[in-house]
């Protein structure tokens, strides 16, 4: 089974650092069963020449096709820049920038209309987790954001992102199984489900071996080449 290792650099990495990272990446061999994806900031999309083993992804796109939307970036331009994947609905955008599930769904459809694959993020905040309402919350968020064609789902508990706290392994497995069943009911049984939230070189292997986990979406640890390499090695 393909395991996705996706680096979400967020608003980190300058041009020189990024070029040095990608040059180092060119020197390593990545097994065929691993799908590596690098998602840098928009201006770097045209500046990085990735090795053929690593796909290019963006961290966001507009929910509109084109037009007077200052500062937005269209899915068609991302496709022209060589992106194969686009992250949509990251919790940082949902919570800090007010993105709704409807906007996320429209973004995912834009990505699909331009021949790329959306990486659709969902995740519960801490109060919902503490109340034991994770499943209900995620089901609603997924149903409201769900595109009509194939995508990759990333389960990222909001309380786990950048905190060093992760759910217990059995909790990750249970949530992924639950999401798989929701997707199955809707005809998306084959959807890869990735885990994201405080994945590091230390815990990647135990998360990646879980049967319901098709890969990881990595933030902080993905800007360190050595850590990212350890995570890739953990997937084999
Ligand atoms: P961290 O790996 O820094 O917790 O971030 C996860 C994330 O938000 C990936 O999209």
């Amino acid at each position: 089974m393909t395991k996705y290792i996706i680096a979400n650099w967020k608003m980190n990495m300058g041009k020189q650092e990024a070029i040095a990272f990608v040059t180092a990446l060119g020197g390593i061999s990545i097994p065929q069963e691993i799908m590596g994806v690098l998602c840098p900031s928009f201006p770097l999309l045209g500046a990085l020449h990735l090795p053929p083993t690593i796909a290019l992804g963006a961290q966001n796109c507009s929910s509109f096709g084109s037009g007077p939307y200052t500062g937005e970036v269209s899915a068609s331009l991302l496709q022209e820049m060589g992106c194969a994947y686009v992250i949509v609905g990251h919790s940082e955008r949902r919570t800090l920038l007010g993105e709704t599930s409807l906007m996320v769904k429209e973004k995912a459809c834009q990505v699909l209309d331009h021949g790329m694959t959306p990486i659709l993020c969902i995740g519960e905040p801490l109060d919902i987790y503490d109340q034991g309402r994770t499943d209900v919350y995620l089901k609603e968020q997924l149903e409201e954001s769900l595109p009509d064609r194939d995508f990759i789902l990333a389960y990222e508990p909001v309380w786990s992102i950048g905190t060093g706290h992760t759910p217990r392994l059995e909790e990750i497995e249970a949530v992924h199984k639950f999401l798989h069943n929701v997707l199955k009911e809707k005809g998306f049984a084959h959807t890869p489900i990735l885990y994201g939230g405080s994945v590091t070189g230390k815990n990647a292997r135990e998360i990646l071996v879980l049967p319901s986990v098709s890969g990881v979406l990595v933030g902080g640890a993905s800007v360190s080449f050595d850590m990212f390499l350890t995570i890739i090695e953990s997937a084999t």
Side-chain angles (χ1 to χ4, degrees), residues 8 10 90 92 156 160-162 196-199 217-220:
N8 175 9
K10 308 192 180 183
H90 194 281
E92 285 152 12
E156 300 203 299
S160 175
I161 294 176
S198 295
V199 174
L217 180 54
V218 189

Side-chain angles (χ1 to χ4, degrees), residues 3 22 76-77 84 88 103 120 129 134 149 163 229 235:
K3 292 272 182 187
V22 168
S76 66
L77 180 57
V88 294
M103 287 162 73
L120 170 62
Y129 171 78
T134 296
R149 285 153 285 163
T163 61
L229 184 58

Side-chain angles (χ1 to χ4, degrees), residues 37-208:
V37 183
L38 192 62
C39 303
S41 297
F42 286 139
L44 291 175
L45 292 173
L48 299 179
H49 302 290
L50 296 181
T53 47
I54 301 281
L56 188 63
Q59 298 174 16
N60 178 40
C61 74
S62 174
S63 54
F64 301 104
S66 64
Y69 304 105
T70 303
E72 291 292 280
V73 176
S74 67
S76 66
L77 180 57
L78 294 178
Q79 193 262 335
E80 246 186 281
M81 298 305 290
C83 290
Y85 297 88
V86 182
I87 296 170
V88 294
H90 194 281
S91 67
E92 285 152 12
R93 300 199 60 85
R94 291 181 188 259
T95 54
L96 301 174
L97 300 164
E99 264 186 26
T100 63
S101 289
L102 178 61
M103 287 162 73
V104 173
K105 181 184 181 138
E106 287 169 351
K107 287 177 183 219
C109 291
Q110 284 290 335
V111 173
L112 287 159
D113 286 348
H114 293 89
M116 301 174 288
T117 303
I119 301 162
L120 170 62
C121 301
I122 59 170
E124 82 286 2
L126 185 59
D127 58 329
I128 297 290
Y129 171 78
D130 283 342
Q131 292 160 21
R133 295 200 292 126
T134 296
D135 286 1
V136 181
Y137 185 93
L138 293 178
K139 183 166 193 271
E140 189 177 316
Q141 207 177 33
L142 177 56
E143 284 175 346
E144 287 176 1
S145 318
L146 194 71
D148 55 356
R149 285 153 285 163
D150 287 351
F151 63 100
I152 293 173
L153 184 65
Y155 167 53
E156 300 203 299
V158 177
W159 53 272
S160 175
I161 294 176
T163 61
H165 300 298
T166 55
R168 294 191 308 275
L169 295 173
E170 57 272 27
E171 288 178 310
I172 296 176
E173 184 69 1
V175 170
H176 278 229
K177 280 190 178 150
F178 171 76
L179 293 172
H180 172 75
N181 286 333
V182 173
L183 287 165
K184 196 172 164 189
E185 271 172 25
K186 301 184 185 302
F188 289 101
H190 52 282
T191 306
I193 307 177
L194 318 185
Y195 171 78
S198 295
V199 174
T200 65
K202 287 210 169 81
N203 61 16
R205 188 177 296 277
E206 61 189 15
I207 294 172
L208 282 161

